[in-house]
Amino acid sequence: MVEHKSKKETILIFLSLFILLLYLSPLFILGEHAHIRVHDNLDSNLAWYRVLTNSGQLFGSIEAVIPQIINGLPRNAFSTELSGLVLLYSFFPTMTAYTLSQAITRVIAFIGMYLLLKKHFLKEEKWVLIRAGTALTFALTPFWPSGMLSTLGMPLALWAFLNIRQGEREWKNVAVLTLLPLYSSFVLGFFFFLTVMFIFWLCDVLRGKGWNLPFFLSIAYMTVIYFIVEYRLFHSFLFSTVPNSRDEYFHARLSLWRVIRLTFKNFVLGHNHVMTVHGLIILPVTLLALYLIIWKKRWKEERPFVVLFVINFILSAWYAFWFYKGWLPLTEQFHFLDTFNFARFHFLRPLVIYIGFALGLKILSDHLHQKWKQLITVFIIAQIILLGTFNDEIVYHNKPTVKEFYSEELFNQIKQHIDLPVEDYRVASIGIHPAIAQYNGFYTLDTYNNFYPLTYKYDFRRIIKKELDKNKTIRTYFDEWGGRCYLFTSELGKHYMFKKNSKKRLKNLELQIDPFKEMGGRYIFSAIPIDNAIENKLELDQIFDSEQSAWKIYLYKVI
């Protein structure tokens, strides 16, 4: 019997890995012709990795700058050279690195969740289907690509921490805590995870379970590893005295009613950067399991599930209340509450939701009539199919492919037409993301970055002042955040992807070209025609088009 179940486990694991490979197959087959996420991906991170690699400053000093962006973007605005993802992009072409990263992340996510459930939650062999099904669905979630294992690595980390907490002294636990920081982000996941681990340890102490120094030291050890890996980030946050764009980020603006609405919206739908796709299948499963617990009064027996359900809701409430305007007096007194996004405790929700899913399925299996137990398999298969529909190739099929987005052939034509060394002039874009020009080696005055000098933001604002004055939405977006330092226009608003079949035209553009020239600006890449170009001291130099590009570029030269 044991041999049979061991064989079943092996079959389910290999089947799960095959489904993962199938899910990833469009990336392997299509390469740069694949469709992938644009927001916080093609429009930023993938271009950043290329710029960093080509800058010669991958291992630059703390004070180094990247001349290609905004006349000298601090090197520390980019990821650490100790990041496995950064090294992947430095060794491989963009889509090869992207595909490898997706595969690495999803396989480790599967292994981590499977080990966690098997060792600490669903130990008996009869739960092998639930273990494998939950691990697979967790690994198929549409995570934010540059987040790497920041959320999907949490099950593996929790597995190691719980092993250590229980007195296990094995090298594999230390290896996990050492290696995970090399392929994840502290501020985009593990700061919050480690904070919760510390609270967990503290609760053990207060409940009289002893100091458990190995557990505490393991938390401290992983934190120290992150300090070493992300030394640039910590230096910028703790020691830099130069004001940056994040100093003008204001988050506390929602009324109480909007906060309550956001709580339930997040609880049911999740968040774009940590998509869990749990509303249709997993949420009903967990609610049904909760109903059975209440009906049969099994609070004690199913305590882990109940605790996770409560934590899940608290995380959604915390996320929403972080934007409550009642925080304003505190944010004015303690500036770091604005510069650091503490709302990201909700990044723990994928971990919590999918462990809850596994425990919910177990509860249903325990308490449903025998003839209904086949529903367990149905729920798992339904969630797998649902997640399959969230594959990038399906979700983004109407967006440009990677090749069409970056349009290297088209921008090489522009480069040849200008016929000057790219470092001798600066460009900016209208109607397309500046990351496209950056990816193609142009030196840009506009950018999208996590932070950059506040003085530059003020200088750049002079160029678009009249446009901001005409449109409150883009004015607030730029002034109270400013991560996108774009040539905003009142007519286009927050739209940056006008493909070559667009009929849109700019009719009343009002740019201040003199500051643009002072900063080195000589050309504007516009995805749409500018009818009043002459009034803005611009002249149409040439129009560029290519079958392999999503864009038609109107090259305007400063008069």
Side-chain angles (χ1 to χ4, degrees):
M1 191 69 176
V2 173
E3 184 181 341
H4 171 71
K5 293 199 171 182
S6 177
K7 184 179 178 182
K8 181 180 179 181
E9 181 178 38
T10 303
I11 291 171
L12 285 172
I13 288 172
F14 275 102
L15 179 61
S16 297
L17 293 174
F18 175 75
I19 293 171
L20 272 179
L21 180 63
L22 198 63
Y23 185 89
L24 293 166
S25 61
L27 293 175
F28 286 104
I29 296 168
L30 298 174
E32 62 182 0
H33 297 287
H35 297 84
I36 63 174
R37 174 184 175 131
V38 174
H39 176 62
D40 284 348
N41 194 37
L42 284 173
D43 69 350
S44 49
N45 293 77
L46 299 196
W48 298 347
Y49 302 135
R50 180 157 173 151
V51 168
L52 179 57
T53 300
N54 293 340
S55 70
Q57 294 296 337
L58 179 61
F59 299 96
S61 71
I62 289 289
E63 306 301 329
V65 296
I66 311 294
Q68 187 186 338
I69 300 178
I70 65 170
N71 288 327
L73 179 72
R75 164 64 183 86
N76 291 353
F78 286 139
S79 299
T80 172
E81 65 273 25
L82 300 178
S83 164
L85 185 62
V86 170
L87 294 177
L88 267 183
Y89 280 93
S90 67
F91 285 119
F92 296 102
T94 296
M95 282 310 293
T96 304
Y98 186 87
T99 303
L100 287 173
S101 181
Q102 285 278 317
I104 291 167
T105 303
R106 294 188 186 281
V107 169
I108 292 177
F110 173 81
I111 293 170
M113 182 59 82
Y114 191 86
L115 290 175
L116 175 65
L117 293 175
K118 184 175 183 178
K119 182 74 177 284
H120 298 288
F121 290 95
L122 302 174
K123 301 177 184 180
E124 296 178 50
E125 284 300 317
K126 65 179 179 178
W127 305 126
V128 62
L129 174 63
I130 295 177
R131 290 199 303 259
T134 302
L136 174 59
T137 53
F138 179 75
L140 290 173
T141 54
F143 70 100
W144 176 54
S146 289
M148 304 167 283
L149 290 166
S150 302
T151 53
L152 295 195
M154 287 182 186
L156 188 60
L158 183 57
W159 170 79
F161 278 125
L162 291 179
N163 291 344
I164 294 167
R165 178 176 176 262
Q166 292 179 358
E168 188 178 292
R169 307 288 183 265
E170 291 194 25
W171 66 268
K172 60 188 178 185
N173 299 318
V174 178
V176 166
L177 303 186
T178 305
L179 295 176
L180 271 177
L182 300 175
Y183 213 77
S184 59
S185 166
F186 188 65
V187 296
L188 296 173
F190 271 90
F191 166 82
F192 311 99
F193 178 84
L194 289 168
T195 300
V196 170
M197 285 298 99
F198 175 75
I199 293 170
F200 189 23
W201 170 83
L202 193 59
C203 287
D204 278 352
V205 173
L206 295 176
R207 289 162 59 200
K209 292 191 174 183
W211 290 94
N212 199 340
L213 281 179
F215 184 27
F216 173 79
L217 290 174
S218 66
I219 298 168
Y221 172 76
M222 193 177 196
T223 305
V224 169
I225 297 296
Y226 270 112
F227 268 79
I228 294 169
V229 171
E230 304 212 30
Y231 72 98
R232 294 182 182 277
L233 176 70
F234 287 108
H235 179 274
S236 299
F237 189 76
L238 299 175
F239 303 113
S240 176
T241 57
V242 178
N244 66 66
S245 56
R246 291 194 70 86
D247 290 328
E248 290 192 334
Y249 171 58
F250 302 102
H251 71 273
R253 60 175 70 252
L254 296 186
S255 66
L256 182 59
W257 170 240
R258 289 185 66 190
V259 164
I260 293 170
R261 284 172 52 198
L262 183 57
T263 297
F264 286 95
K265 179 183 177 183
N266 182 261
F267 183 72
V268 175
L269 300 178
H271 185 275
N272 182 262
H273 277 159
V274 282
M275 289 184 69
T276 45
V277 195
H278 67 280
L280 285 177
I281 309 295
I282 295 177
L283 185 57
V285 166
T286 52
L287 290 174
L288 182 56
L290 185 64
Y291 169 75
L292 288 171
I293 290 170
I294 296 170
W295 180 39
K296 294 180 178 287
K297 298 180 180 178
R298 293 185 59 85
W299 301 98
K300 253 184 202 178
E301 294 83 352
E302 306 296 350
R303 187 169 175 269
F305 174 84
V306 175
V307 169
L308 286 170
F309 189 90
V310 171
I311 289 173
N312 186 22
F313 187 80
I314 289 172
L315 290 172
S316 286
W318 172 258
Y319 164 74
F321 272 87
W322 184 249
F323 300 99
Y324 177 47
K325 61 185 179 183
W327 283 102
L328 200 55
L330 272 177
T331 60
E332 289 172 348
Q333 189 171 356
F334 301 103
H335 185 52
F336 71 91
L337 293 176
D338 264 329
T339 56
F340 189 82
N341 190 352
F342 286 95
R344 287 178 177 151
F345 273 101
H346 77 101
F347 278 25
L348 276 76
R349 292 192 70 224
L351 170 69
V352 172
I353 286 170
Y354 277 84
I355 296 176
F357 181 42
L359 295 180
L361 291 173
K362 171 193 172 293
I363 292 165
L364 295 187
S365 181
D366 280 340
H367 299 292
L368 288 178
H369 191 276
Q370 185 65 34
K371 68 177 181 180
W372 294 107
K373 289 193 177 184
Q374 61 185 349
L375 280 176
I376 304 304
T377 305
V378 172
F379 287 138
I380 291 171
I381 293 173
Q383 183 65 15
I384 292 170
I385 293 171
L386 178 62
L387 287 163
T389 66
F390 279 78
N391 188 292
D392 281 1
E393 198 58 41
I394 297 172
V395 174
Y396 301 110
H397 72 279
N398 286 327
K399 301 290 184 183
T401 65
V402 177
K403 186 178 182 68
E404 291 170 338
F405 185 87
Y406 287 126
S407 301
E408 293 183 74
E409 180 191 355
L410 181 72
F411 283 89
N412 277 333
Q413 292 176 24
I414 297 173
K415 207 177 287 183
Q416 290 168 11
H417 172 79
I418 293 174
D419 197 27
L420 290 170
V422 287
E423 63 270 18
D424 287 355
Y425 60 93
R426 303 293 181 267
V427 304
S429 301
I430 293 176
I432 58 170
H433 294 283
I436 297 170
Q438 292 169 0
Y439 189 88
N440 285 285
F442 289 96
Y443 283 54
T444 69
L445 294 178
D446 49 351
T447 193
Y448 174 21
N449 283 99
N450 293 323
F451 66 90
Y452 55 92
L454 191 59
T455 52
Y456 187 87
K457 180 181 176 182
Y458 293 157
D459 284 344
F460 191 88
R461 194 187 192 283
R462 293 183 299 155
I463 304 170
I464 55 174
K465 180 183 182 303
K466 290 186 178 181
E467 291 297 322
L468 297 183
D469 289 343
K470 293 187 286 186
N471 187 315
K472 183 182 178 181
T473 299
I474 59 172
R475 182 170 68 251
T476 302
Y477 188 61
F478 183 81
D479 288 345
E480 297 188 13
W481 180 53
R484 292 190 190 274
C485 189
Y486 283 18
L487 284 183
F488 287 110
T489 71
S490 175
E491 294 171 75
L492 303 184
K494 291 164 62 177
H495 298 283
Y496 330 110
M497 286 181 54
F498 291 88
K499 292 194 272 191
K500 58 177 151 187
N501 58 358
S502 172
K503 304 299 181 185
K504 187 74 176 176
R505 305 178 72 91
L506 275 173
K507 299 176 181 178
N508 298 297
L509 182 65
E510 291 185 88
L511 296 179
Q512 301 289 92
I513 290 299
D514 288 341
F516 182 75
K517 289 178 68 175
E518 289 170 16
M519 297 166 75
R522 293 296 177 267
Y523 294 94
I524 289 178
F525 300 158
S526 180
I528 56 176
I530 302 173
D531 289 348
N532 63 335
I534 297 298
E535 296 172 26
N536 287 273
K537 300 180 182 179
L538 298 171
E539 65 176 2
L540 181 61
D541 190 353
Q542 192 158 317
I543 301 171
F544 294 86
D545 196 1
S546 167
E547 288 184 5
Q548 298 181 359
S549 174
W551 328 111
K552 179 184 288 185
I553 298 300
Y554 298 81
L555 179 65
Y556 288 94
K557 186 176 183 179
V558 174
I559 300 174

